[in-house]
Amino acid sequence: DAKTTQPPSMDCAEGRAANLPCNHSTISGNEYVYWYRQIHSQGPQYIIHGLKNNETNEMASLIITEDRKSSTLILPHATLRDTAVYYCIAPGGTSYGKLTFGQGTILTVHP
Amino acid sequence: EAGVAQSPRYKIIEKRQSVAFWCNPISGHATLYWYQQILGQGPKLLIQFQNNGVVDDSQLPKDRFSAERLKGVDSTLKIQPAKLEDSAVYLCASSLGGRPLEGEKLFFGSGTQLSVL
């Protein structure tokens, strides 16, 4: 697995964009970047994934740098319910590779 | 669509006792995962099943942990005997085909919180 580095915690005001960075400088060319989040007392929830191009879905946007060494998850209008631990994952290249979760970023959205 | 079901939600036992957790994945999902999440850490994969066969159990402490997935649907995870360090949340997840590297999503249950006293 490519090693990922995330800040341990971030704050964001409600209604503002939350930009969560992730460094994955050892990622290889065919490895996707995944983002999951975990709200207190729940299991992790899939957010988005990408390979080379920027991606957007109903939950978030994912911006991947051209060299693929880092990415940013963007929650365009954060709400209090977005307070959670956000995990950036770059799995290894085997066919049945496992998702290895690191410590993640604790995002706290303030009123 | 029903999600991944787990039971019990909470379990308190004394060390050296045994305990079992149950998971029912999303209908049609071939792959089932058990993760252990210790407080303050990210989830750690214990075992991965593809249908009823084991794909990866490299991080399962096999001297005390066992898991089975009969008929390729439900699964149980057992700990016997439990130790204090087994206190954690045990998460079950499922996916359609077992290829998370190719854009496949994992769906997680809410977990079983185990306290070993």
Side-chain angles (χ1 to χ4, degrees):
Chain A
D1 294 6
K3 179 176 171 55
T4 60
T5 304
Q6 299 179 253
S9 64
M10 295 183 65
D11 290 335
C12 178
E14 188 177 21
R16 304 299 293 267
N19 298 290
L20 292 88
C22 178
N23 180 283
H24 34 77
S25 58
T26 61
I27 197 169
S28 64
N30 63 346
E31 290 178 343
Y32 283 85
V33 177
Y34 291 78
W35 285 83
Y36 281 74
R37 75 178 182 184
Q38 187 170 23
I39 295 170
H40 183 61
S41 296
Q42 297 182 22
Q45 174 192 25
Y46 166 86
I47 302 174
I48 199 167
H49 72 281
L51 184 61
K52 295 181 180 178
N53 300 319
N54 298 337
E55 302 288 345
T56 296
N57 63 20
E58 65 278 5
M59 291 184 68
S61 295
L62 176 61
I63 308 297
I64 303 174
T65 58
E66 192 169 343
D67 63 7
R68 303 211 328 119
K69 294 183 184 301
S70 66
S71 61
T72 301
L73 179 74
I74 301 172
L75 307 178
H77 305 286
T79 71
L80 299 179
R81 288 177 294 180
D82 292 323
T83 293
V85 180
Y86 287 77
Y87 297 100
C88 169
I89 305 165
T94 58
S95 297
Y96 292 102
K98 57 197 177 191
L99 290 184
T100 301
F101 291 80
Q103 298 281 76
T105 295
I106 301 172
L107 175 69
T108 304
V109 181
H110 297 285
Chain B
E1 176 181 88
V4 176
Q6 290 189 248
S7 67
R9 188 75 175 91
Y10 303 94
K11 190 72 177 179
I12 301 173
I13 61 172
E14 295 187 350
K15 60 183 179 183
R16 292 189 289 272
Q17 287 186 324
S18 62
V19 64
F21 314 123
W22 174 82
C23 173
N24 181 241
I26 292 173
S27 178
H29 279 196
T31 307
L32 185 146
Y33 313 78
W34 283 102
Y35 281 81
Q36 178 193 57
Q37 186 170 24
I38 294 172
L39 187 65
Q41 299 181 15
K44 181 183 84 171
L45 180 69
L46 292 176
I47 189 167
Q48 177 182 346
F49 291 94
Q50 180 78 5
N51 296 307
N52 60 351
V54 175
V55 174
D56 184 348
D57 63 356
S58 57
Q59 298 195 86
L60 185 73
K62 299 180 186 64
D63 57 334
R64 298 183 300 106
F65 286 65
S66 65
E68 60 181 6
R69 189 183 185 197
L70 298 176
K71 300 181 181 178
V73 182
D74 293 7
S75 177
T76 56
L77 177 69
K78 297 179 182 178
I79 307 175
Q80 181 179 10
K83 294 184 175 182
L84 297 178
E85 58 261 36
D86 299 330
S87 294
V89 175
Y90 291 85
L91 295 160
C92 179
S94 70
S95 66
L96 197 59
R99 296 188 176 273
L101 305 180
E102 299 171 14
E104 188 171 281
K105 305 174 190 177
L106 266 64
F107 295 84
F108 284 82
S110 296
T112 295
Q113 185 171 328
L114 174 67
S115 297
V116 182
L117 307 178

